[in-house]
Amino acid sequence: MSSESRYKRKLSDLSLIDDYLFGLFIQEAGSEEILKGLIERMLGVKISKISLKQKQHDISNDPDYHGVRLDAFVQEETSNTLYDIEVQTVNTKNIPKRMRFYQSLIDREQMPSGEFDYNVLPKTVIIFVTDFDLFSQGLYRYTFENVCLENNSVKLGDESIKVVLNTKGNNSKGVSDELIELLKYFHNSTKETAENASSDFVKRLDKMLEPIKNSSKFGGEFMSIQEKIYTEKKISREEGIQIGEKRGKEEGIQIGEKRGKEEGIQEMLEKMRKSGMSEEQIKLILAN
């Protein structure tokens, strides 16, 4: 897909793996029941009642530093566990450290000023759904905890878990068919994908997503955003070309002047030598 055609997509063309549509889905249809269902299927666990802390939760520990917006940030009430779900279509080569950064900001927010007991920090699970295989192992799910390298049976116990879900997996070991169908739907959120799924949960997601994707209001907002981004990028690209042309012209003049000067010196040296001057005499003239 060309960069220009990418910015001409309609909202109805997007899938849940697209950050914009996923955020809109959480904002408009992300009930606590639906988020609970997503987490249970993504992790293969059963959890108790959850509460949505905030739709598209902005989090930062200082206005002067980089913050993040968490798409789906929820809390399981019984175990006091925080879950964050993010989606990613492009491999930016920085997801592991992004997860580390998200973890640090979440932890910072959970420690009130003046609190010194680190045990107040809740268990956290950060989930990234990616449209590519980040680790090239074919797994649908990669789960990470801090363990001792010398003895993998020894866990650090910091209750920090990171999960990467891969829509392009091919190894179904350890995951349910329903998770695989869910990831296929994230990759291609169409009625056809939902109809081909045996999962009632996937079919329910599609029914909830369909009116959002076909909404003239949301579709218009998305097109406006796309047009603004495309225009800004086009202006930036044109300004970059102008700056590059100007710098290239200036560098060309400098190179031309330098080469002209060097050629002039060589021509002068040739004339000196042909006139019978010795190298010592030529050096004395050049030195002056």
Side-chain angles (χ1 to χ4, degrees), residues 29-48:
S31 67
E32 293 175 353
E33 183 184 357
I34 286 296
L35 287 169
K36 178 176 179 290
L38 281 174
I39 292 169
E40 288 183 332
R41 287 158 179 82
M42 288 177 171
L43 302 181
V45 298
K46 286 292 183 181
I47 60 177
S48 61

Side-chain angles (χ1 to χ4, degrees), residues 21-34:
L21 182 60
F22 182 67
L24 187 59
F25 176 76
I26 296 301
Q27 178 181 322
E28 296 300 318
S31 67
E32 293 175 353
E33 183 184 357
I34 286 296

Side-chain angles (χ1 to χ4, degrees), residues 78-280:
T78 303
S79 65
N80 191 28
T81 301
L82 296 177
Y83 298 90
D84 170 41
I85 306 174
E86 306 291 328
V87 294
Q88 185 74 26
T89 58
V90 179
N91 188 355
T92 53
K93 311 294 184 181
N94 64 7
I95 288 178
K97 289 194 175 180
R98 274 179 64 191
M99 298 177 94
R100 169 180 159 184
F101 183 65
Y102 285 18
Q103 180 70 58
S104 68
L105 290 184
I106 292 172
D107 285 346
R108 178 65 183 86
E109 190 179 58
Q110 302 307 309
M111 284 288 286
S113 178
E115 177 62 67
F116 298 102
D117 183 6
Y118 293 100
N119 284 319
V120 302
L121 288 174
K123 178 180 179 180
T124 58
V125 183
I126 298 176
I127 304 167
F128 263 71
V129 186
T130 65
D131 211 24
F132 50 88
D133 190 346
L134 182 61
F135 304 103
S136 303
Q137 300 299 309
L139 299 178
Y140 284 99
R141 182 171 61 214
Y142 299 90
T143 304
F144 300 91
E145 287 188 72
N146 290 318
V147 300
C148 176
L149 295 180
E150 289 75 15
N151 184 345
N152 291 346
S153 66
V154 179
K155 296 182 180 180
L156 181 61
D158 60 346
E159 294 190 309
S160 168
I161 298 174
K162 298 172 181 64
V163 178
V164 178
L165 298 175
N166 168 31
T167 66
K168 301 295 178 62
N170 53 41
N171 184 347
S172 60
K173 182 178 180 181
V175 297
S176 66
D177 291 339
E178 192 169 26
L179 173 60
I180 294 173
E181 290 184 344
L182 178 63
L183 292 175
K184 287 181 178 179
Y185 185 73
F186 263 77
H187 169 71
N188 187 25
S189 304
T190 64
K191 182 171 291 295
E192 182 181 4
T193 303
E195 289 176 348
N196 289 333
S198 59
S199 168
D200 290 335
F201 184 78
V202 170
K203 296 180 189 298
R204 184 179 177 191
L205 282 182
D206 186 64
K207 288 182 180 179
M208 298 178 71
L209 186 62
E210 184 178 8
I212 295 174
K213 291 179 68 173
N214 296 318
S215 164
S216 57
K217 174 190 173 184
F218 296 139
E221 291 174 354
F222 177 69
M223 292 300 290
S224 296
I225 292 172
Q226 293 289 92
E227 183 178 356
K228 182 179 180 181
I229 294 174
Y230 175 73
T231 301
E232 289 177 349
K233 284 185 175 291
K234 185 177 180 181
I235 292 173
S236 298
R237 183 168 62 250
E238 290 173 350
E239 289 177 348
I241 291 172
Q242 292 175 358
I243 293 171
E245 289 176 344
K246 183 179 179 182
R247 288 179 178 173
K249 187 175 180 181
E250 292 173 349
E251 290 175 0
I253 292 172
Q254 292 174 357
I255 292 171
E257 290 176 346
K258 182 179 178 181
R259 287 179 178 174
K261 186 176 180 180
E262 291 173 349
E263 290 173 359
I265 292 173
Q266 291 298 324
E267 186 177 343
M268 181 179 67
L269 289 173
E270 288 294 326
K271 289 180 179 180
M272 287 180 178
R273 292 187 180 105
K274 286 180 180 179
S275 69
M277 286 186 182
S278 67
E279 291 299 322
E280 290 298 323

